[in-house]
Amino acid sequence: MSGNYKFRNQECLYFVTFSVVRWIDVFTRREYKDILVDSLKYCIENKGLELYAWVIMSNHVHLIIGTQGQPLENILRDIKRHTSKKLTAAISENMQESRRDWLLWFFEREGRQNPNNETYQFWQQGNHPIEIWSNQVTEQKLDYLHDYLHNNPVVAGWVDEPEHYLYSSARDYAGGKGLIDVILLI
């Protein structure tokens, strides 16, 4: 993370986005999205992650998060490290994955360009954290949450209503129960 995009105040909430390298559509299968869901649940239960909103799209993830435990940069580093390994292994072992060889080749090629990687690079570097530091910013992010974040799957043509998409917190904000326990911002 460089420039102004850092976790400066661990007591604030942050809007973060992280993307698959080169924006490759990987989250097209349920089992891949479930790996990310399981990792978020683990971090909530074991690392103090507070999750306020989330959505998994085909090639990126949006979260509104806070912490009552480990520093956010450490939690996100661990999520990305863990899911990178789990996802590349899942792709490698999935005989139904028509793009398996190409995806692994691509992640390996990207990994060679970054000396911090062991073999593959799955996620782009950085998380682009934006601090939610005031009620005005919170209201802006809530509007964003409703109009964009939760509406992403509708715009993509995957569902007719945001709460119909399983891999987001839209159900929670519509009064239902989603896959991950969230803390509502309203």
Side-chain angles (χ1 to χ4, degrees), residues 5-6 17 19 30-31 36 38 41 72 100 106 118 120 127 133 138 154-155 158 161-162 166 171-172:
Y5 299 111
K6 295 183 188 253
T17 299
S19 309
R30 238 183 126 144
E31 58 264 33
L36 193 50
D38 290 343
K41 286 180 178 178
L72 286 169
R100 182 180 62 209
F106 197 90
E118 294 172 19
Y120 299 113
N127 307 305
W133 52 272
T138 300
V154 175
V155 172
W158 300 343
E161 298 294 331
L166 185 60
R171 284 184 184 188
D172 299 285

Side-chain angles (χ1 to χ4, degrees), residues 132-150:
I132 301 175
W133 52 272
S134 71
N135 288 339
Q136 180 182 9
V137 174
T138 300
E139 287 177 27
Q140 289 172 346
K141 292 304 171 198
L142 280 172
D143 289 342
Y144 181 83
L145 177 69
H146 175 70
D147 295 338
Y148 180 72
L149 189 141
H150 284 156

Side-chain angles (χ1 to χ4, degrees), residues 40-171:
L40 290 169
K41 286 180 178 178
Y42 178 86
C43 289
I44 290 168
E45 294 169 10
N46 297 287
K47 295 181 180 264
L49 177 67
E50 295 176 329
L51 185 61
Y52 293 86
W54 64 284
V55 65
I56 300 172
M57 295 303 292
S58 64
N59 54 22
H60 66 284
V61 178
H62 294 296
L63 308 171
I64 296 179
I65 56 174
T67 185
Q68 288 296 318
Q70 295 182 19
L72 286 169
E73 58 270 19
N74 294 355
I75 294 172
L76 284 180
R77 176 202 62 215
D78 293 349
I79 287 171
K80 289 172 77 173
R81 180 184 296 146
H82 173 75
T83 57
S84 176
K85 290 177 181 179
K86 292 284 282 187
L87 286 160
T88 52
I91 291 166
S92 176
E93 296 164 7
N94 187 345
M95 296 303 150
Q96 301 301 113
E97 178 58 71
S98 60
R99 303 175 304 154
R100 182 180 62 209
D101 292 340
W102 178 80
L103 287 168
L104 294 173
W105 168 83
F106 197 90
F107 296 144
E108 184 177 14
R109 186 188 79 166
E110 292 294 310
R112 282 193 305 263
Q113 296 176 22
N114 183 341
N116 295 329
N117 295 319
E118 294 172 19
T119 306
Y120 299 113
Q121 181 164 342
F122 183 87
W123 297 108
Q124 289 185 32
Q125 298 294 309
N127 307 305
H128 196 84
I130 299 171
E131 186 176 307
I132 301 175
W133 52 272
S134 71
N135 288 339
Q136 180 182 9
V137 174
T138 300
E139 287 177 27
Q140 289 172 346
K141 292 304 171 198
L142 280 172
D143 289 342
Y144 181 83
L145 177 69
H146 175 70
D147 295 338
Y148 180 72
L149 189 141
H150 284 156
N151 211 37
N152 254 336
V154 175
V155 172
W158 300 343
V159 292
D160 290 330
E161 298 294 331
E163 60 271 17
H164 294 167
Y165 184 59
L166 185 60
Y167 291 94
S168 84
S169 53
R171 284 184 184 188

